[in-house]
Amino acid sequence: NDGGHDAKNLRVKLVLLGDSGVGKSCIVLRFVRGQFDPTSKVTVGASFLSQTIALQDSTTVKFEIWDTAGQERYAALAPLYYRGAAVAVVVYDITSPDSFSKAQYWVKELQKHGSPDIVMALVGNKADLNEKREVAVQDGIDYAEKNRMFFIETSAKTADNINELFEEIAKRLPRPSA
Ligand code: GDP
Ligand code: MG
């Protein structure tokens, strides 16, 4: 075993970035435990969880997920988490234009300082709050396209598109040649 990097069993470091309150921790909790806890605690510093999924071609992908805190006072720590990450998931809240701007800041940061071959996803979360939407779907699509990112809207609350998010990321991972 070479540490999980054979062609059939991938192990990838994934970091979640985005403003405080956009739902990063809830997305992880929904994906890993299948739960949504509306009283979930604010993340301090960063937390770590892992989850393995199987793809149709029988490849397994083990995500080692670093869920960061969005607060300004932790911004200086972010490079510790995204450095060496194969995947970055940048999250905003579709009811918050400020969080969409903050997502764009993180994308630029990753383009400057992340791995050159990092797989990036842009996620508009809280899609269940469509009646309070303040970021158009098309704005997410356009920004992601310009920056060669995968885009999806999710709801950690209803579970909408949460598994799809991680499955799509898995499909986009560069495969090591055997
Ligand atoms: P984080 O700071 O980005 O980790 O955000 P949290 O995961 O702690 O979530 C912040 C708040 O948003 C909490 O009150 C959650 O209950 C709420 N929340 C998270 N995801 C969703 C969602 O998909 N829909 C709705 N309606 N609320 C959500
Ligand atoms: Mg959190």
Side-chain angles (χ1 to χ4, degrees):
N1 186 303
D2 67 351
H5 290 280
D6 57 274
K8 283 287 176 193
N9 301 291
L10 307 178
R11 192 174 71 192
V12 298
K13 177 178 169 186
L14 179 152
V15 63
L16 280 127
L17 296 164
D19 229 349
S20 188
V22 297
K24 298 179 297 299
S25 298
C26 288
I27 289 170
V28 176
L29 210 68
R30 173 61 82 183
F31 174 55
V32 174
R33 304 228 177 94
Q35 296 170 351
F36 178 75
D37 175 3
T39 65
S40 64
K41 305 279 182 306
V42 168
T43 310
V44 175
S47 79
F48 175 81
L49 278 170
S50 77
Q51 174 73 313
T52 302
I53 63 171
L55 299 182
Q56 299 216 314
D57 64 359
S58 85
T59 304
T60 68
V61 178
K62 181 179 185 186
F63 287 109
E64 298 178 337
I65 303 170
W66 291 91
D67 174 20
T68 64
Q71 299 92 325
E72 288 302 330
R73 66 179 181 278
Y74 297 116
L77 296 179
L80 294 176
Y81 300 106
Y82 64 67
R83 214 171 277 149
V87 181
V89 176
V90 179
V91 184
Y92 66 92
D93 169 352
I94 67 152
T95 73
S96 162
D98 280 355
S99 76
F100 187 54
S101 302
K102 196 64 194 282
Q104 298 179 19
Y105 159 83
W106 283 117
V107 171
K108 291 190 193 96
E109 186 79 6
L110 288 160
Q111 286 167 343
K112 274 188 257 167
H113 305 296
S115 313
D117 55 354
I118 195 165
V119 173
M120 288 199 280
L122 181 66
V123 175
N125 189 44
K126 307 198 186 181
D128 57 288
L129 299 179
N130 199 42
E131 75 285 356
K132 292 188 189 156
R133 173 187 293 276
E134 289 197 35
V135 181
V137 183
Q138 196 60 46
D139 290 346
I141 293 172
D142 289 347
Y143 186 78
E145 206 167 84
K146 273 192 215 117
N147 291 279
R148 292 195 211 86
M149 303 171 79
F150 164 62
F151 174 73
I152 195 166
E153 285 196 351
T154 59
S155 170
K157 186 174 183 179
T158 65
D160 208 35
N161 275 347
I162 298 293
N163 287 334
E164 287 78 359
L165 163 63
F166 290 90
E167 280 160 16
E168 283 301 324
I169 289 167
K171 286 184 202 159
R172 285 171 166 75
L173 292 170
R175 296 301 160 92
S177 40

